[in-house]
Each structure stands twice: as structure tokens, then as C-alpha cells.
Amino acid sequence: MYLRQGQQLNHGKYTIQQMLGQGGFGITYLATTADGEQVAIKEFFMKDACMRQDDSMRVTVPTEGVREDVERYRKKFIKEANNLLRLRHPNIVAVYEVFEENDTDYYAMQYMPGGSLRDHVRQFGPMDEPTARSYVLQVASALRYMHERKHLCHYDVKPGNILIDGEGQAMLIDFGLSKNYDGSGQQTSSTP
């Protein structure tokens, strides 16, 4: 069960407008701020392990047997959010804040109304070479910044993880598989 239109998060700072999508580990919503700005909110919600009662926003884990797995993936979700929070590049989706509420975690990020490259190709067919080259160069710029300045490797670059805005900007998203490295190239995370 997902959050419904009109429900509020973070002490009324965000109002849910609609669900945008759900994956195995989270639900993404379109929300508005009190100023009317549109943002995307990602909620940690393991599809096969978490529950929510119809009349509640609170997320529960129904059995002790899966609680440990849920907590492990919740920590990964927070790691992804914090990795994104520290990245500042014009081709990486901006995360505004990470917060806990309803016995789960959320992060608010830049909303990209243009959909993904995958969606674009499915809807309009193959793109022309100059457009494709532009997107490749933008994503390459984001990856260079991540590798050289933040010692972070994405590990899941694909058309579904590249969003497009209305002005031809490509934005890299979904850092759930990313890994941190130290200056010598040694992995600093042991998550498989």
C-alpha cells in the first residue's frame, strides 16, 4: 500500500500528489512543497517484506524472520541517500534532504518530469545521433566527477537510470549499487 494524495510528510513540508513508481526496495512519489515546488520523494518500502495498513502511513514489518533483512536494506537505502546528498553536479539528481518518519526513511530530491531515456526510446523510438551523443557526454561528465572527486562508482548506469528534463538535460539517478573507494582505489564498503 502506498501513500495517498494529500498525505503529508516531514511535518507538513511535503504533500503527496501521486505515486510515480515502485521497485523492490522503495516507492517514489511526486510531492509538492508549501511553496508549490514539485519534488520527488523516495520512501524505503521493501515490496515483499513491508506493510502499511489502509488507515495508517506507518510502515511495519509483519514477521521477525525478515526484520534483519529489512534493517540491512534500510541501511543501504540511507547510504544511497547520503551518497546522493553529498554530490553536486548538473547531471546528477539533486537530493535536498533525508528524513525518518512513519517508521521508515525518505529522501526528497529534484523532480524530473521528462521520464527516463528508456521511456523516451520506448515512446518515440531511436533518437538521432547528436541527441544521443549529448546525453552520453552529460552522463560521462557526471561519472568523471563521481570517480575523480568523490571516489564513488555507480555500477548501474543504464537508460532506465538516466532521467531527462524538458530542456535536454540528462540526470543520473539510482545509486543503490554504488560503492565508495579511497584515494588508492581500494573499496571502502564491504556490501556485496
Side-chain angles (χ1 to χ4, degrees):
M1 185 67 195
Y2 54 89
L3 297 176
R4 293 183 302 277
Q5 182 179 8
Q7 290 181 311
Q8 295 186 333
L9 292 171
N10 205 6
H11 311 289
K13 188 172 184 178
Y14 305 108
T15 302
I16 299 296
Q17 299 303 313
Q18 67 183 50
M19 181 180 77
L20 295 173
Q22 180 173 10
F25 299 98
I27 304 173
T28 304
Y29 302 94
L30 173 62
T32 53
T33 65
D35 302 349
E37 178 187 356
Q38 291 185 317
V39 297
I41 304 275
K42 190 166 182 181
E43 172 185 53
F44 176 74
F45 189 96
M46 283 181 67
K47 192 185 226 178
D48 296 328
C50 294
M51 293 180 55
R52 182 182 339 227
Q53 300 300 321
D54 287 339
D55 59 342
S56 172
M57 293 173 60
R58 196 170 149 258
V59 174
T60 61
V61 179
T63 64
E64 283 297 319
V66 296
R67 194 171 309 278
E68 189 175 303
D69 279 346
V70 169
E71 195 54 37
R72 184 167 38 99
Y73 283 106
R74 184 173 170 172
K75 286 178 183 174
K76 283 177 58 85
F77 179 88
I78 294 167
K79 176 189 158 223
E80 173 189 5
N82 286 322
N83 276 340
L84 279 165
L85 193 59
R86 68 186 180 95
L87 299 176
R88 293 287 179 251
H89 187 276
N91 301 109
I92 297 174
V93 68
V95 169
Y96 305 129
E97 70 174 322
V98 181
F99 58 97
E100 185 178 340
E101 191 170 343
N102 302 319
D103 294 326
T104 194
D105 292 283
Y106 299 86
Y107 59 89
M109 62 187 156
Q110 183 178 8
Y111 173 60
M112 300 291 293
S116 72
L117 272 180
R118 180 188 64 206
D119 298 338
H120 186 275
V121 169
R122 284 182 179 164
Q123 184 175 359
F124 302 109
M127 60 185 66
D128 60 72
E129 185 178 333
T131 302
R133 185 182 306 119
S134 173
Y135 292 150
V136 167
L137 291 173
Q138 290 175 52
V139 172
S141 174
L143 293 171
R144 176 181 223 160
Y145 163 81
M146 289 171 53
H147 296 170
E148 292 179 358
R149 303 204 43 223
K150 299 298 182 178
H151 304 291
L152 185 67
C153 193
H154 189 280
Y155 283 118
D156 199 18
V157 178
K158 60 187 179 185
N161 286 341
I162 301 168
L163 299 183
I164 305 301
D165 71 6
E167 296 163 19
Q169 278 291 107
M171 294 285 189
L172 191 56
I173 63 164
D174 197 346
F175 286 65
L177 296 178
S178 65
K179 302 262 188 243
N180 287 304
Y181 291 84
D182 63 23
S184 67
Q186 298 299 309
Q187 185 174 319
T188 60
S189 169
S190 60
T191 307

PDB file of all heavy atoms in Angstrom, residues 54-72:
ATOM      1  N   ASP A  54      -4.323   0.354   5.630  1.00  0.00           N
ATOM      2  CA  ASP A  54      -5.014   1.349   4.809  1.00  0.00           C
ATOM      3  C   ASP A  54      -5.197   2.687   5.509  1.00  0.00           C
ATOM      4  O   ASP A  54      -5.125   3.729   4.898  1.00  0.00           O
ATOM      5  CB  ASP A  54      -6.389   0.832   4.377  1.00  0.00           C
ATOM      6  CG  ASP A  54      -6.288  -0.244   3.309  1.00  0.00           C
ATOM      7  OD1 ASP A  54      -5.237  -0.312   2.632  1.00  0.00           O
ATOM      8  OD2 ASP A  54      -7.243  -1.015   3.150  1.00  0.00           O
ATOM      9  N   ASP A  55      -5.419   2.654   6.811  1.00  0.00           N
ATOM     10  CA  ASP A  55      -5.705   3.885   7.546  1.00  0.00           C
ATOM     11  C   ASP A  55      -4.470   4.498   8.200  1.00  0.00           C
ATOM     12  O   ASP A  55      -4.572   5.425   8.984  1.00  0.00           O
ATOM     13  CB  ASP A  55      -6.776   3.617   8.601  1.00  0.00           C
ATOM     14  CG  ASP A  55      -6.348   2.544   9.597  1.00  0.00           C
ATOM     15  OD1 ASP A  55      -5.399   1.782   9.292  1.00  0.00           O
ATOM     16  OD2 ASP A  55      -6.964   2.462  10.666  1.00  0.00           O
ATOM     17  N   SER A  56      -3.276   3.974   7.896  1.00  0.00           N
ATOM     18  CA  SER A  56      -2.060   4.435   8.543  1.00  0.00           C
ATOM     19  C   SER A  56      -0.975   4.726   7.514  1.00  0.00           C
ATOM     20  O   SER A  56      -0.910   4.093   6.470  1.00  0.00           O
ATOM     21  CB  SER A  56      -1.556   3.364   9.513  1.00  0.00           C
ATOM     22  OG  SER A  56      -0.291   3.705  10.024  1.00  0.00           O
ATOM     23  N   MET A  57      -0.101   5.664   7.838  1.00  0.00           N
ATOM     24  CA  MET A  57       1.060   5.931   6.999  1.00  0.00           C
ATOM     25  C   MET A  57       2.259   5.125   7.486  1.00  0.00           C
ATOM     26  O   MET A  57       3.263   5.028   6.798  1.00  0.00           O
ATOM     27  CB  MET A  57       1.373   7.429   7.021  1.00  0.00           C
ATOM     28  CG  MET A  57       0.303   8.272   6.346  1.00  0.00           C
ATOM     29  SD  MET A  57       0.534  10.066   6.507  1.00  0.00           S
ATOM     30  CE  MET A  57       2.106  10.333   5.750  1.00  0.00           C
ATOM     31  N   ARG A  58       2.146   4.545   8.667  1.00  0.00           N
ATOM     32  CA  ARG A  58       3.239   3.827   9.318  1.00  0.00           C
ATOM     33  C   ARG A  58       3.584   2.537   8.576  1.00  0.00           C
ATOM     34  O   ARG A  58       2.715   1.774   8.190  1.00  0.00           O
ATOM     35  CB  ARG A  58       2.834   3.508  10.755  1.00  0.00           C
ATOM     36  CG  ARG A  58       3.967   3.127  11.629  1.00  0.00           C
ATOM     37  CD  ARG A  58       3.515   3.080  13.097  1.00  0.00           C
ATOM     38  NE  ARG A  58       4.317   2.077  13.738  1.00  0.00           N
ATOM     39  CZ  ARG A  58       3.919   0.856  14.034  1.00  0.00           C
ATOM     40  NH1 ARG A  58       2.672   0.491  13.790  1.00  0.00           N
ATOM     41  NH2 ARG A  58       4.730  -0.003  14.588  1.00  0.00           N
ATOM     42  N   VAL A  59       4.880   2.302   8.384  1.00  0.00           N
ATOM     43  CA  VAL A  59       5.366   1.095   7.731  1.00  0.00           C
ATOM     44  C   VAL A  59       5.712   0.070   8.805  1.00  0.00           C
ATOM     45  O   VAL A  59       6.376   0.389   9.788  1.00  0.00           O
ATOM     46  CB  VAL A  59       6.610   1.410   6.862  1.00  0.00           C
ATOM     47  CG1 VAL A  59       7.222   0.146   6.293  1.00  0.00           C
ATOM     48  CG2 VAL A  59       6.222   2.373   5.739  1.00  0.00           C
ATOM     49  N   THR A  60       5.251  -1.163   8.598  1.00  0.00           N
ATOM     50  CA  THR A  60       5.523  -2.236   9.548  1.00  0.00           C
ATOM     51  C   THR A  60       6.164  -3.415   8.829  1.00  0.00           C
ATOM     52  O   THR A  60       6.040  -3.569   7.616  1.00  0.00           O
ATOM     53  CB  THR A  60       4.241  -2.713  10.258  1.00  0.00           C
ATOM     54  OG1 THR A  60       3.332  -3.210   9.270  1.00  0.00           O
ATOM     55  CG2 THR A  60       3.582  -1.596  11.049  1.00  0.00           C
ATOM     56  N   VAL A  61       6.854  -4.223   9.615  1.00  0.00           N
ATOM     57  CA  VAL A  61       7.417  -5.481   9.131  1.00  0.00           C
ATOM     58  C   VAL A  61       6.699  -6.567   9.911  1.00  0.00           C
ATOM     59  O   VAL A  61       6.850  -6.666  11.124  1.00  0.00           O
ATOM     60  CB  VAL A  61       8.949  -5.544   9.374  1.00  0.00           C
ATOM     61  CG1 VAL A  61       9.517  -6.861   8.883  1.00  0.00           C
ATOM     62  CG2 VAL A  61       9.627  -4.362   8.696  1.00  0.00           C
ATOM     63  N   PRO A  62       5.879  -7.386   9.243  1.00  0.00           N
ATOM     64  CA  PRO A  62       4.971  -8.289   9.947  1.00  0.00           C
ATOM     65  C   PRO A  62       5.628  -9.462  10.676  1.00  0.00           C
ATOM     66  O   PRO A  62       5.048  -9.979  11.613  1.00  0.00           O
ATOM     67  CB  PRO A  62       4.040  -8.795   8.849  1.00  0.00           C
ATOM     68  CG  PRO A  62       4.786  -8.603   7.594  1.00  0.00           C
ATOM     69  CD  PRO A  62       5.699  -7.442   7.809  1.00  0.00           C
ATOM     70  N   THR A  63       6.822  -9.874  10.263  1.00  0.00           N
ATOM     71  CA  THR A  63       7.423 -11.030  10.924  1.00  0.00           C
ATOM     72  C   THR A  63       8.851 -10.738  11.363  1.00  0.00           C
ATOM     73  O   THR A  63       9.587  -9.995  10.697  1.00  0.00           O
ATOM     74  CB  THR A  63       7.450 -12.263   9.989  1.00  0.00           C
ATOM     75  OG1 THR A  63       8.298 -11.979   8.887  1.00  0.00           O
ATOM     76  CG2 THR A  63       6.060 -12.627   9.500  1.00  0.00           C
ATOM     77  N   GLU A  64       9.239 -11.330  12.462  1.00  0.00           N
ATOM     78  CA  GLU A  64      10.603 -11.195  12.973  1.00  0.00           C
ATOM     79  C   GLU A  64      11.606 -11.795  12.011  1.00  0.00           C
ATOM     80  O   GLU A  64      12.741 -11.344  11.920  1.00  0.00           O
ATOM     81  CB  GLU A  64      10.730 -11.865  14.348  1.00  0.00           C
ATOM     82  CG  GLU A  64      10.146 -11.071  15.486  1.00  0.00           C
ATOM     83  CD  GLU A  64      10.861  -9.742  15.699  1.00  0.00           C
ATOM     84  OE1 GLU A  64      12.105  -9.677  15.615  1.00  0.00           O
ATOM     85  OE2 GLU A  64      10.158  -8.747  15.924  1.00  0.00           O
ATOM     86  N   GLY A  65      11.200 -12.809  11.258  1.00  0.00           N
ATOM     87  CA  GLY A  65      12.106 -13.509  10.359  1.00  0.00           C
ATOM     88  C   GLY A  65      12.720 -12.631   9.283  1.00  0.00           C
ATOM     89  O   GLY A  65      13.833 -12.891   8.834  1.00  0.00           O
ATOM     90  N   VAL A  66      12.017 -11.611   8.846  1.00  0.00           N
ATOM     91  CA  VAL A  66      12.541 -10.738   7.790  1.00  0.00           C
ATOM     92  C   VAL A  66      13.051  -9.402   8.325  1.00  0.00           C
ATOM     93  O   VAL A  66      13.634  -8.616   7.577  1.00  0.00           O
ATOM     94  CB  VAL A  66      11.489 -10.490   6.683  1.00  0.00           C
ATOM     95  CG1 VAL A  66      11.127 -11.759   5.968  1.00  0.00           C
ATOM     96  CG2 VAL A  66      10.270  -9.796   7.226  1.00  0.00           C
ATOM     97  N   ARG A  67      12.859  -9.159   9.607  1.00  0.00           N
ATOM     98  CA  ARG A  67      13.232  -7.865  10.193  1.00  0.00           C
ATOM     99  C   ARG A  67      14.718  -7.540   9.994  1.00  0.00           C
ATOM    100  O   ARG A  67      15.086  -6.413   9.668  1.00  0.00           O
ATOM    101  CB  ARG A  67      12.866  -7.821  11.667  1.00  0.00           C
ATOM    102  CG  ARG A  67      12.906  -6.425  12.255  1.00  0.00           C
ATOM    103  CD  ARG A  67      12.331  -6.365  13.655  1.00  0.00           C
ATOM    104  NE  ARG A  67      11.025  -6.950  13.794  1.00  0.00           N
ATOM    105  CZ  ARG A  67       9.870  -6.350  13.486  1.00  0.00           C
ATOM    106  NH1 ARG A  67       9.879  -5.132  13.003  1.00  0.00           N
ATOM    107  NH2 ARG A  67       8.718  -6.959  13.663  1.00  0.00           N
ATOM    108  N   GLU A  68      15.580  -8.541  10.148  1.00  0.00           N
ATOM    109  CA  GLU A  68      17.023  -8.324   9.991  1.00  0.00           C
ATOM    110  C   GLU A  68      17.362  -7.931   8.552  1.00  0.00           C
ATOM    111  O   GLU A  68      18.152  -7.014   8.326  1.00  0.00           O
ATOM    112  CB  GLU A  68      17.780  -9.590  10.391  1.00  0.00           C
ATOM    113  CG  GLU A  68      19.277  -9.407  10.482  1.00  0.00           C
ATOM    114  CD  GLU A  68      19.958 -10.658  10.997  1.00  0.00           C
ATOM    115  OE1 GLU A  68      19.616 -11.123  12.096  1.00  0.00           O
ATOM    116  OE2 GLU A  68      20.852 -11.153  10.266  1.00  0.00           O
ATOM    117  N   ASP A  69      16.753  -8.620   7.579  1.00  0.00           N
ATOM    118  CA  ASP A  69      16.980  -8.267   6.172  1.00  0.00           C
ATOM    119  C   ASP A  69      16.477  -6.863   5.866  1.00  0.00           C
ATOM    120  O   ASP A  69      17.136  -6.094   5.167  1.00  0.00           O
ATOM    121  CB  ASP A  69      16.281  -9.262   5.238  1.00  0.00           C
ATOM    122  CG  ASP A  69      17.071 -10.534   5.038  1.00  0.00           C
ATOM    123  OD1 ASP A  69      18.272 -10.564   5.388  1.00  0.00           O
ATOM    124  OD2 ASP A  69      16.486 -11.504   4.525  1.00  0.00           O
ATOM    125  N   VAL A  70      15.302  -6.538   6.367  1.00  0.00           N
ATOM    126  CA  VAL A  70      14.741  -5.206   6.133  1.00  0.00           C
ATOM    127  C   VAL A  70      15.675  -4.141   6.693  1.00  0.00           C
ATOM    128  O   VAL A  70      15.958  -3.140   6.028  1.00  0.00           O
ATOM    129  CB  VAL A  70      13.322  -5.089   6.742  1.00  0.00           C
ATOM    130  CG1 VAL A  70      12.848  -3.643   6.747  1.00  0.00           C
ATOM    131  CG2 VAL A  70      12.344  -5.963   5.978  1.00  0.00           C
ATOM    132  N   GLU A  71      16.192  -4.363   7.894  1.00  0.00           N
ATOM    133  CA  GLU A  71      17.072  -3.375   8.513  1.00  0.00           C
ATOM    134  C   GLU A  71      18.373  -3.223   7.717  1.00  0.00           C
ATOM    135  O   GLU A  71      18.888  -2.119   7.552  1.00  0.00           O
ATOM    136  CB  GLU A  71      17.366  -3.745   9.965  1.00  0.00           C
ATOM    137  CG  GLU A  71      17.967  -2.625  10.767  1.00  0.00           C
ATOM    138  CD  GLU A  71      17.166  -1.321  10.737  1.00  0.00           C
ATOM    139  OE1 GLU A  71      15.916  -1.349  10.738  1.00  0.00           O
ATOM    140  OE2 GLU A  71      17.805  -0.247  10.700  1.00  0.00           O
ATOM    141  N   ARG A  72      18.896  -4.324   7.189  1.00  0.00           N
ATOM    142  CA  ARG A  72      20.126  -4.273   6.386  1.00  0.00           C
ATOM    143  C   ARG A  72      19.890  -3.451   5.115  1.00  0.00           C
ATOM    144  O   ARG A  72      20.695  -2.590   4.755  1.00  0.00           O
ATOM    145  CB  ARG A  72      20.578  -5.690   6.041  1.00  0.00           C
ATOM    146  CG  ARG A  72      21.882  -5.752   5.296  1.00  0.00           C
ATOM    147  CD  ARG A  72      22.460  -7.157   5.240  1.00  0.00           C
ATOM    148  NE  ARG A  72      21.475  -8.209   5.071  1.00  0.00           N
ATOM    149  CZ  ARG A  72      21.190  -8.790   3.906  1.00  0.00           C
ATOM    150  NH1 ARG A  72      21.808  -8.420   2.816  1.00  0.00           N
ATOM    151  NH2 ARG A  72      20.279  -9.741   3.839  1.00  0.00           N
TER     152      ARG A  72
END
